[in-house]
Amino acid sequence: MRRTLLRVITFFRRGRAEQDLDRELVAHVALLVDEYQRRGMTPDEARLEARRALGSVAHAKDLHRDARSFIWLDDLRQDLRHALRSLRRTPGFTTVAVLTLALGIGANTAIFSVVNAVLLRPLPYPHADRLVRLVATVPAQTPGGAPRRGIVRMSAAELEQLRVHVRSFANVGTSNWDLMNLRGRDPRLQGAVVSAELFQMLGARPLIGRLLTASDEAPGAAPAIVLSYGAWRQHFGGDPGILGKTATFDAVLGPPVRTDYSIVGVMPDSFQFPDRRTQVWRSPRLAPVAGGRGVPTGPVLARLADGVALPAAAAEVSALVREIRDGQRDNATTRYELVREQDEIVNSVKPALLVLTVAVGFVLLLACVNVANLLLARAAARQREFVIRGALGAGRGRLVRQLLTESVTLAVVGGVAGTILAIGGVRLLRSLATTISRLDLGNQLSFPRIDETGVDLWVLTFSIGTSVAAGVLFGLAPALRHARSDTTAALRDGGHATVSGFGLARRVSLRSALVVAEIGIAMVLLAGGSLLIRSFARLSGVDAGYDAANVLTFQVAVPADRYPPARLKAFAEELVARLRSVPGVERAAYANQLPMVSLINSFPLRAVPFQELPGRPPEPPPAGTPDIRLVSRDYLKVMGIRLIAGRDFGDEDGPSRPRVLLINQALARRDFAGRNPVGETVYVGRYPEPWQIVGIVGDVRQFGLNLEPQPQFFADLRQWSNDGLVFPAGAYYAARTTGDPVSLVPRVRSIIRQLEPEATLFYVAPMEQVVASTISRPRLYAVLLGIFAAVGVGLAVIGVYGVMAYAVAQRTREIGIRVALGAPRAQVVALVVRQSAVLTVIGIVIGLSGAAMLSRYLESLLFGVTPLDPATFALAAMVFMVAALGAAYGPTRRATRVNPLVALRTE
């Protein structure tokens, strides 16, 4: 241990150790001189004999250095110094190689930061791997249809049976999302309705105060609420005395109810559930359940007991749930499963992240192949240097190690540059993945856990490891080629490479094979990127059934206790009437929901009234209950929804007039096939009043551009008498303008304050922005894979250019002789282009084959395009062929301008 410690100290004090060694050798020589003089020698004879006795000073120093230090560490230091000097002498080569590697390593580091945060990093709860969700898969109802999968929602009574009978669970709870308006402040808050056991399950600890308890769920208990750290700081100024104070919230979902909640606790900033957008948590208001299953309380979240495996728990829970729900529709064929909470959260983005991970891996592989080609060309130019070093005593292993050291050094420098690029790439990813944060538009818009993405210690470790691995990978080709080189032939040729012909000759076969591999990999990227770009173009250009241009949308929060549904409709009518008089507003309307809002409100349409006679079961509703839209007059015109047949709602359709409604084409095709539904009478839900169909409107893609239009009908709000179901999430307003919709926001806010001083405007957004937010994920995937494909094609084209330029340079003498002997320039061009075309065609064929095998993994990300779309593949091949031939243009032009005398003089 002492010897090892001295070696480490000596390595870091090398200068002083060398001085000590010189002094020690001088002293040793002086002692020998004195000894020989005592024996009778003259001073000159004594110094000569001392030198002879000591031997070679350099050899003595080498032996001493080997004894006092680590030999391999000294060799590594020397190799590093030589590598840095060598790279500094060729700034052009070093710059190109570093930038190439920086692109590959930076892209991989940026994507890994997302993969690490989203897929690999556990949820921020103790033993998060034991948190599970209960999900159900219902078989397809029609031949060839897809099975339906969803989270299981259970009532309080069903949940209690799980708590009592399931031994595999340590805790069971429910959570459901909620929307609440905070009176007097920023109105719309995203909340969660959670059972008290859920906080215990998540290992939560409040920053101040307490958590929700079972007593807060009891009937008659005072309403209690827990604030997030952000809500506490933003809306209550971080008041440390907030506990026990009252905050007034208006319910958004369901009947408009004003409730005074007692603030009982504040959570730390690190706590987030179900996601970071959640600002408040409250208990469900449960009523005693007698003899029934009760009202559904929400999805089931549980923690597995210690020592219980997931498959065993799933088998136990599946059997119990099937027993609890005995007799319910589809229960016998439904498959109940337990999935880990983290897997469920990232389930929608996991396939895309895996595709992007493979894509950036291909980009890094392309960068390595390109740099390997550069190193091969550089090694060929340095062949005489290596031959001389070998002749002076350097073994092949030592030279190979030197080449690998240079490549790893180059990769580390590229890795540092790539990490800097990755920091900017992560910011770009987060900006591309960020969209409108609105729960009413659905959780599918947001990219889960994207806010946790960053360049941390794990990402830096990945970047360093990738750099070293890349350096070894692209450094092997020139190192192994040099290890097999013929030293005698190299000296005989004088360092010049001679190759016969422009075919895949022996001396360029390795570089040509690398270029073919580059082209194949780049073709896979180009085909995949083209598929996603075409898919996004199809999705962006799909007919949504409405015109989103120049439409301003918003909602208004009003005091719930003073605005029951009837008065809220009167407020909405007055607001749209005033909006119509604002300059720049063509029309204004309101509805219970707008397109892209993910809330579903459905009612069955029947040809006869619903009847429930004694001793006779209720008549079942028809399959596929249509979605209902309660709208004001002019709504169809404001939204640009086409009228196909019949008429629109008019002034004659008042509250005391016969009830009328409009249906869309999907509903007309399904329920009125072969006949004109205009003029027919139908009944809505359980209500006995007849409704007459007066028109057919075009299909609207209500819940997403990628989803087919669903059966839907429109009812006039003036004729809708069921006040409890008018606005399940508040009224939505829309105004069609002649110019920029956002410019009207101040005027709209002024009108609202005139009508109700306590009202607040929120969720303000042009309809075009709302629609764009629904396709933010496909846009992100298309942009990223398109960038990777462009980088891959660029690297492959550079590789083709490098091979052709090297081939022309190596055959300068041959070209000169051919031209001197009368070869036409067209023939010389054909020689160069033929090799480029052969390499490109082989690479394209290999790449298309690989793309055909891998494109099936893109199927879930595509819209309107098949994974083996012939047009996309043909276009990608054509683009690549043109790019490759363009890369060969420079060397070809140079080859045709070779002067025979100059070419021969270079020899």
Side-chain angles (χ1 to χ4, degrees):
M1 289 179 63
R2 184 173 62 86
R3 191 160 52 243
T4 301
L5 181 62
L6 289 175
R7 287 180 174 181
V8 173
I9 294 175
T10 302
F11 178 79
F12 289 103
R13 300 176 60 187
R14 185 175 184 85
R16 184 171 178 179
E18 287 292 327
Q19 295 175 4
D20 292 342
L21 177 59
D22 290 339
R23 286 194 296 268
E24 184 178 348
L25 289 174
V26 170
H28 185 66
V29 170
L31 290 174
L32 287 177
V33 170
D34 291 342
E35 175 66 23
Y36 289 138
Q37 285 182 347
R38 283 195 299 269
R39 294 181 182 180
M41 294 183 181
T42 65
D44 291 339
E45 292 174 340
R47 281 193 294 272
L48 181 61
E49 189 62 28
R51 291 287 186 181
R52 185 180 297 113
L54 180 64
S56 172
V57 175
H59 182 64
K61 286 186 175 182
D62 286 339
L63 292 177
H64 187 80
R65 294 188 189 104
D66 293 345
R68 79 184 184 194
S69 63
F70 301 101
I71 299 176
W72 63 270
L73 205 56
D74 276 341
D75 290 344
L76 177 61
R77 179 184 58 80
Q78 293 175 9
D79 289 342
L80 285 174
R81 290 180 60 187
H82 186 274
L84 291 174
R85 286 199 303 266
S86 176
L87 296 176
R88 190 167 56 247
R89 285 197 301 266
T90 54
F93 162 81
T94 304
T95 302
V96 172
V98 167
L99 289 178
T100 301
L101 291 171
L103 286 174
I105 295 174
N108 275 267
T109 303
I111 293 298
F112 176 77
S113 67
V114 179
V115 172
N116 178 56
V118 177
L119 299 183
L120 303 181
R121 186 183 300 160
L123 295 175
Y125 316 117
H127 307 290
D129 59 319
R130 306 195 68 79
L131 292 175
V132 294
R133 286 275 184 187
L134 180 60
V135 301
T137 303
V138 181
Q141 303 298 311
T142 58
R148 292 182 291 109
R149 180 184 180 277
I151 297 292
V152 175
R153 303 173 66 87
M154 303 195 77
S155 67
E158 292 173 333
L159 193 65
E160 186 61 29
Q161 292 192 56
L162 283 183
R163 288 195 181 100
V164 173
H165 297 291
V166 175
R167 303 301 179 189
S168 301
F169 289 160
N171 306 96
V172 183
T174 62
S175 67
N176 205 0
W177 59 275
D178 192 20
L179 291 174
M180 306 173 72
N181 286 338
L182 177 59
R183 184 73 65 87
R185 296 179 175 88
D186 187 12
R188 183 61 53 93
L189 300 182
Q190 177 175 323
V193 182
V194 298
S195 58
E197 197 168 358
L198 186 133
F199 284 108
Q200 177 185 352
M201 184 190 315
L202 300 178
R205 297 288 184 272
L207 180 65
I208 58 174
R210 66 173 178 87
L211 301 174
L212 299 174
T213 63
S215 60
D216 295 319
E217 301 177 2
I225 200 166
V226 174
L227 302 177
S228 70
Y229 182 85
W232 177 52
R233 299 284 297 180
Q234 180 179 355
H235 303 300
F236 299 94
D239 180 11
I242 193 68
L243 300 181
K245 292 186 178 180
T246 300
T248 302
F249 289 89
D250 293 335
V252 174
L253 302 177
V257 178
R258 173 184 177 180
T259 306
D260 294 330
Y261 287 90
S262 175
I263 300 173
V264 299
V266 176
M267 300 304 294
D269 189 36
S270 59
F271 182 79
Q272 48 179 303
F273 181 84
D275 55 40
R276 185 169 288 277
R277 296 178 299 174
T278 306
Q279 297 172 285
V280 293
W281 296 269
R282 66 178 179 88
S283 297
R285 312 300 297 166
L286 300 179
V289 179
R293 292 186 173 87
V295 179
T297 58
V300 178
L301 179 66
R303 178 183 291 278
L304 296 178
D306 293 338
V308 176
L310 185 62
E316 181 187 11
V317 173
S318 177
L320 180 60
V321 173
R322 202 176 302 279
E323 179 182 344
I324 291 174
R325 297 192 164 185
D326 184 35
Q328 289 192 20
R329 181 183 175 185
D330 297 329
N331 182 60
T333 57
T334 299
R335 185 174 73 254
Y336 296 100
E337 302 173 277
L338 292 177
V339 296
R340 300 193 187 278
E341 173 70 354
Q342 182 164 0
D343 294 339
E344 184 63 26
I345 291 175
V346 303
N347 181 62
S348 59
V349 299
K350 185 176 181 178
L353 282 181
L354 295 179
V355 168
L356 292 175
T357 302
V358 173
V360 293
F362 282 164
V363 171
L364 179 60
L365 189 57
L366 281 170
C368 291
V369 171
N370 235 7
V371 176
N373 255 331
L374 290 174
L375 286 176
L376 281 172
R378 189 166 181 260
R382 297 172 62 191
Q383 190 171 17
R384 188 174 183 85
E385 170 197 341
F386 291 128
V387 168
I388 295 174
R389 291 180 64 188
L392 293 175
R396 286 189 174 183
R398 186 73 169 82
L399 296 178
V400 168
R401 188 175 66 190
Q402 173 63 44
L403 288 172
L404 287 177
T405 302
E406 290 184 11
S407 63
V408 171
T409 302
L410 195 64
V412 170
V413 176
V416 173
T419 303
I420 297 174
L421 288 179
I423 295 174
V426 168
R427 294 177 180 174
L428 175 63
L429 284 172
R430 293 181 66 167
S431 64
L432 289 174
T434 302
T435 183
I436 297 178
S437 181
R438 283 173 50 173
L439 195 59
D440 63 334
L441 298 180
N443 285 325
Q444 295 298 319
L445 302 184
S446 60
F447 204 98
R449 309 187 71 185
I450 192 65
D451 56 309
E452 302 176 33
T453 303
V455 180
D456 56 12
L457 180 61
W458 286 107
V459 176
L460 288 176
T461 303
F462 171 84
S463 180
I464 294 172
T466 302
S467 302
V468 174
V472 174
L473 179 64
F474 66 70
L476 281 176
L480 293 178
R481 179 172 180 175
H482 174 75
R484 295 193 298 267
S485 63
D486 187 351
T487 303
T488 304
L491 288 173
R492 184 174 60 250
D493 295 339
H496 296 287
T498 58
V499 189
S500 60
F502 273 85
L504 298 180
R506 177 177 176 272
R507 297 294 296 273
V508 294
S509 59
L510 179 57
R511 300 193 71 219
S512 299
L514 290 177
V515 168
V516 169
E518 271 192 286
I519 295 173
I521 295 171
M523 270 303 303
V524 173
L525 287 176
L526 183 58
S530 300
L531 284 172
L532 282 184
I533 291 173
R534 287 199 65 194
S535 171
F536 179 70
R538 291 278 183 90
L539 185 61
S540 303
V542 72
D543 182 10
Y546 52 88
D547 182 10
N550 296 331
V551 175
L552 180 68
T553 65
F554 58 91
Q555 284 191 275
V556 180
V558 294
D561 56 329
R562 295 193 286 109
Y563 281 87
R567 188 180 178 190
L568 182 57
K569 283 201 293 185
F571 172 86
E573 285 288 347
E574 179 65 21
L575 175 57
V576 298
R578 295 200 182 189
L579 286 176
R580 293 188 189 108
S581 63
V582 173
V585 176
E586 293 181 352
R587 291 186 176 87
Y590 64 100
N592 64 337
Q593 293 172 46
L594 292 177
M596 299 303 166
V597 173
S598 62
L599 303 174
I600 298 177
N601 191 14
S602 58
F603 279 84
L605 286 184
R606 306 172 186 272
V608 296
F610 178 87
Q611 293 181 354
E612 192 171 354
L613 303 176
R616 179 178 170 184
E619 179 185 352
T625 304
D627 181 51
I628 183 174
R629 284 293 170 264
L630 303 176
V631 301
S632 71
R633 189 185 58 179
D634 288 341
Y635 173 81
L636 299 180
K637 296 183 178 67
V638 170
M639 297 305 301
I641 300 176
R642 298 182 299 273
L643 183 66
I644 305 300
R647 66 174 180 86
D648 193 359
F649 298 123
D651 295 335
E652 66 275 16
D653 301 317
S656 59
R657 302 290 296 170
R659 300 172 186 266
V660 297
L661 54 82
L662 307 173
I663 66 173
N664 70 344
Q665 291 175 293
L667 183 57
R669 287 191 299 267
R670 191 193 71 177
D671 294 350
F672 302 92
R675 68 183 192 274
N676 184 9
V678 176
E680 293 201 17
T681 299
V682 293
Y683 296 85
V684 178
R686 295 172 176 261
Y687 306 110
E689 299 89 353
W691 294 71
Q692 186 182 36
I693 300 174
V694 296
I696 302 175
V697 299
D699 290 334
V700 173
R701 292 181 182 258
Q702 179 65 39
F703 303 108
L705 297 181
N706 61 325
L707 301 177
E708 291 297 324
Q710 301 297 314
Q712 190 177 53
F713 67 96
F714 298 80
D716 195 321
L717 274 163
R718 294 171 296 175
Q719 297 183 331
W720 188 257
S721 59
N722 188 349
D723 291 342
L725 295 172
V726 176
F727 303 117
Y732 286 84
Y733 298 86
R736 178 164 293 278
T737 65
T738 56
D740 181 15
V742 180
S743 63
L744 294 175
V745 173
R747 181 61 176 150
V748 172
R749 183 175 284 110
S750 174
I751 293 175
I752 291 172
R753 288 298 175 88
Q754 293 173 13
L755 293 175
E756 173 54 63
E758 292 189 46
T760 310
L761 181 69
F762 67 100
Y763 279 180
V764 183
M767 193 64 198
E768 284 184 311
Q769 183 182 2
V770 173
V771 175
S773 68
T774 64
I775 55 176
S776 58
R777 283 189 192 173
R779 180 174 61 248
L780 172 66
Y781 303 150
V783 168
L784 289 181
L785 203 55
I787 291 175
F788 298 153
V791 172
V793 171
L795 291 175
V797 168
I798 292 173
V800 173
Y801 175 85
V803 166
M804 302 315 302
Y806 179 72
V808 170
Q810 292 293 90
R811 293 167 177 80
T812 301
R813 182 185 182 192
E814 176 189 345
I815 293 173
I817 294 174
R818 286 176 180 270
V819 174
L821 293 177
R825 294 187 183 273
Q827 184 181 8
V828 176
V829 171
L831 288 173
V832 181
V833 171
R834 186 184 303 123
Q835 183 179 2
S836 174
V838 168
L839 296 178
T840 304
V841 169
I842 295 175
I844 288 176
V845 171
I846 295 174
L848 289 178
S849 302
M853 291 186 292
L854 297 177
S855 61
R856 59 191 179 94
Y857 295 103
L858 295 175
E859 187 170 5
S860 62
L861 308 178
L862 300 179
F863 175 83
V865 180
T866 62
L868 299 177
D869 183 57
T872 301
F873 279 47
L875 180 62
M878 185 172 61
V879 168
F880 208 102
M881 179 61 76
V882 172
L885 293 179
Y889 173 74
T892 303
R893 186 180 180 186
R894 193 178 305 119
T896 60
R897 295 185 175 182
V898 170
N899 188 319
L901 295 178
V902 174
L904 294 175
R905 193 181 304 129
T906 60
E907 298 296 318

